[in-house]
């Protein structure tokens, strides 16, 4: 069996012959002088080329390691060489997580999956407890992003009255950031002995997480001026020289849909407004995608997951240690590791479950 046949997965990202052809096309486009005069188009081409180049390169590297291991195995068997055999065995074990990562990425078939993402966290009812839980989740996602090699930026943050945060919006930039983090959309539940309760009682807190893809500027999303409510306010700061003395923060409300975005991390009101418009465009795109799914009578999993009382995951720290995803049943007692960003196993199980649901609903596909 040749290497092309081994990994051909219909609809996935590892149809290598298709990717290699696309890479040639992108290279030709990037060398076209007429494109050099269009920075936004060139940036889009280079972004796609970077993703495709990494995909092809990763697969070729894995395939080469597999071929080398097979050759070494044949030599070990012919020579009866236990040392070489053990070396091959070690290499095979090392290849398991690499091939597993590639397998997971084959499940990311939506056109937006390869994009960067915006991720918002909102504390639920419960005052300081819920705000502290929201800040814990923010730390978890920042650490996860760091483990994945993603770049992060805090676009907006509203602090809690006593501790933690009421809400935050993150921009997480990197290949397939949305494809992975869309699995985190929903309500997250914490059970623990409260550090804010002098009687050391057990408390339950909730926070909602939502992810939506960053969309390219050339996607047609019409935003009429009359449909916008634009508000400016003074961005919060750490005090002293860091206090923003002008109303540079921007909040945009899209009146027809009720979508609200805000940005305060840029230096000027103009920059914050441009960033907020991009966030709004992405939010409206995601709303449109949800609308189309609903029209096709498919499950709107994101909306369902964000309904209070339908938490997707629980993090229990007392009276026992357990993090459990209620959609897939995946669980671990290593809650501290999860809070340090080790959430990829949960994400992978959710992606697998979505693929199985798709297969079950389309048995002939």
């Amino acid at each position: 069996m040749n290497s092309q046949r081994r990994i051909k997965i219909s609809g996935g990202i590892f149809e290598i012959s298709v990717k290699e052809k696309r890479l040639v096309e992108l290279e030709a486009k990037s060398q076209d002088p007429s494109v050099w005069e269009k920075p936004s188009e060139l940036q889009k081409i280079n972004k796609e080329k970077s993703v495709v180049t990494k995909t092809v390169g990763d697969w070729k590297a894995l395939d080469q390691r597999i071929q080398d291991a097979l050759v070494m195995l044949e030599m070990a068997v012919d020579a009866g060489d236990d040392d070489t055999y053990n070396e091959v065995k070690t290499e095979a074990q090392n290849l398991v997580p690499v091939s597993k990562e590639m397998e997971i990425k084959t499940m990311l078939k939506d056109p937006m999956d390869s994009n960067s993402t915006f991720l918002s966290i909102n504390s639920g009812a419960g005052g300081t407890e819920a705000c502290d839980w929201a800040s814990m989740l923010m730390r978890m996602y920042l650490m996860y992003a760091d483990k994945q090699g993603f770049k992060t930026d805090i676009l907006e943050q509203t602090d809690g009255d006593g501790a933690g945060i009421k809400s935050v919006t993150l921009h997480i930039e990197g290949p397939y950031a949305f494809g992975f983090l869309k699995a985190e959309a929903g309500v997250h539940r914490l059970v623990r002995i409260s550090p804010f309760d002098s009687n050391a009682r057990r408390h339950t807190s909730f926070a909602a997480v939502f992810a939506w893809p960053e969309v390219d500027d050339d996607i047609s999303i019409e935003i009429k001026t009359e449909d916008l409510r634009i508000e400016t306010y003074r961005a919060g700061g750490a005090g002293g020289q860091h206090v923003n003395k002008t109303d540079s923060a921007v909040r945009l409300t899209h009146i027809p849909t009720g979508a609200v975005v805000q940005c305060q991390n840029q230096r000027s009101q103009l920059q914050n407004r441009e960033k907020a418009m991009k966030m709004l465009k992405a939010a409206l795109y995601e709303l449109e995608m949800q609308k189309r799914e609903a029209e096709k009578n498919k499950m709107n999993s994101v909306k369902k997951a964000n309904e209070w009382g339908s938490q997707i995951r629980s993090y229990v720290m007392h009276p026992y240690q357990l993090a459990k995803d209620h959609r897939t049943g995946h669980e671990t007692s290593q809650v501290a590791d999860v809070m340090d960003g080790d959430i990829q196993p949960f994400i992978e199980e959710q992606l697998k479950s979505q693929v199985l649901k798709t297969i079950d609903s389309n048995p002939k596909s």
Side-chain angles (χ1 to χ4, degrees):
M1 180 182 293
N2 61 49
S3 58
Q4 291 291 337
R5 290 184 59 193
R6 273 204 303 274
I7 69 151
K8 185 175 180 182
I9 301 176
S10 178
I13 69 166
F14 290 107
E15 291 178 335
I16 297 303
S17 61
V18 175
K19 294 296 180 183
E20 288 179 325
K21 181 179 178 180
R22 180 58 178 163
L23 193 56
V24 172
E25 294 173 352
L26 291 170
E27 185 63 36
K29 287 184 178 181
S30 67
Q31 298 300 320
D32 185 349
S34 64
V35 176
W36 299 345
E37 300 174 1
K38 305 173 184 176
S40 60
E41 185 175 344
L42 182 60
Q43 183 180 16
K44 181 184 176 183
I45 291 171
N46 287 335
K47 179 181 177 181
E48 183 182 356
K49 188 170 73 169
S50 176
V51 173
V52 177
T53 298
K54 188 177 188 305
T55 298
V56 173
D58 287 349
W59 180 85
K60 286 186 174 181
L62 174 63
D63 186 60
Q64 187 60 55
R65 288 177 66 180
I66 292 173
Q67 300 307 318
D68 291 345
L70 290 173
V71 171
M72 289 180 63
L73 178 61
E74 186 176 350
M75 293 171 57
V77 171
D78 290 344
D81 187 343
D82 290 340
D83 291 338
T84 302
Y85 175 78
N86 288 331
E87 186 178 346
V88 174
K89 185 177 179 180
T90 299
E91 174 67 352
Q93 293 171 340
N94 292 336
L95 289 173
V96 170
V98 180
S99 59
K100 182 180 179 182
E101 180 181 354
M102 291 192 178
E103 177 190 10
I104 293 300
K105 286 184 177 179
T106 63
M107 303 175 189
L108 303 176
K109 302 176 182 180
D110 187 279
M112 292 291 112
D113 282 344
S114 63
N115 289 23
S116 298
T117 188
F118 297 106
L119 185 136
S120 66
I121 305 169
N122 292 278
S123 62
T128 300
E129 279 290 332
C131 290
D132 188 54
W133 174 225
S135 68
M136 292 168 65
L137 285 175
M138 179 179 72
R139 175 183 177 274
M140 181 183 79
Y141 288 119
L142 290 174
M143 294 188 72
Y144 168 76
D146 185 64
K147 292 175 187 289
Q148 296 295 316
F150 296 152
K151 179 182 176 182
T152 58
D153 193 13
I154 298 175
L155 299 179
E156 176 276 331
Q157 179 176 317
T158 302
D159 294 333
D161 295 331
I165 57 173
K166 292 181 180 179
S167 66
V168 68
T169 301
L170 307 175
H171 180 223
I172 301 177
E173 184 179 356
Y176 296 94
F178 174 68
F180 286 133
L181 285 166
K182 67 180 182 181
E184 292 297 291
V187 176
H188 296 244
R189 170 177 174 260
L190 171 68
V191 180
R192 65 170 176 175
I193 296 295
S194 170
F196 306 102
D197 189 333
S198 58
N199 294 316
R201 290 172 295 188
R202 188 171 63 183
H203 285 249
T204 300
S205 305
F206 296 90
V209 175
F210 183 65
W212 67 100
E214 181 178 22
V215 298
D216 295 326
D217 291 335
D218 62 346
I219 291 180
S220 179
I221 300 292
E222 183 182 6
I223 302 177
K224 298 179 180 178
T225 303
E226 59 267 28
D227 290 340
L228 279 182
R229 181 166 64 247
I230 305 172
E231 302 168 272
T232 59
Y233 59 97
R234 188 163 298 179
Q241 63 179 349
H242 299 291
V243 171
N244 192 320
K245 297 180 173 60
T246 62
D247 293 341
S248 62
V250 175
R251 180 185 296 110
L252 301 180
T253 302
H254 187 249
I255 298 171
T257 62
V260 179
V261 298
Q262 50 193 21
C263 185
Q264 65 182 33
N265 72 323
Q266 304 298 315
R267 291 183 176 273
S268 70
Q269 186 183 119
L270 178 60
Q271 290 174 318
N272 278 322
R273 180 168 174 168
E274 289 176 349
K275 191 74 172 182
M277 281 296 291
K278 190 166 188 177
M279 294 166 62
L280 181 60
K281 190 176 182 182
L284 294 179
Y285 179 89
E286 180 65 11
L287 287 173
E288 179 62 25
M289 292 301 100
Q290 291 181 20
K291 181 181 176 181
R292 292 181 185 182
E293 289 295 298
E295 289 172 351
K296 295 178 182 178
N297 296 317
K298 291 183 178 179
M299 181 187 297
N300 189 332
S301 59
V302 174
K303 181 177 179 182
K304 181 179 179 181
N306 277 281
E307 293 172 353
W308 295 105
S310 61
Q311 59 267 12
I312 64 166
R313 190 177 303 147
S314 292
Y315 308 72
V316 181
M317 298 182 180
H318 185 85
Y320 51 86
Q321 297 279 313
L322 183 70
K324 180 175 181 177
D325 196 294
H326 303 295
R327 299 165 298 178
T328 65
H330 181 75
E331 62 182 46
T332 176
S333 61
Q334 304 303 312
V335 182
D337 291 343
V338 173
M339 297 312 302
D340 283 342
D342 188 16
I343 60 174
Q344 190 67 7
F346 289 100
I347 291 173
E348 292 176 0
E349 289 302 316
Q350 174 60 10
L351 290 174
K352 288 177 183 177
S353 72
Q354 291 300 311
V355 170
L356 291 176
K357 287 179 181 178
T358 301
I359 294 174
D360 290 342
S361 60
N362 299 280
K364 294 182 180 181
S365 62

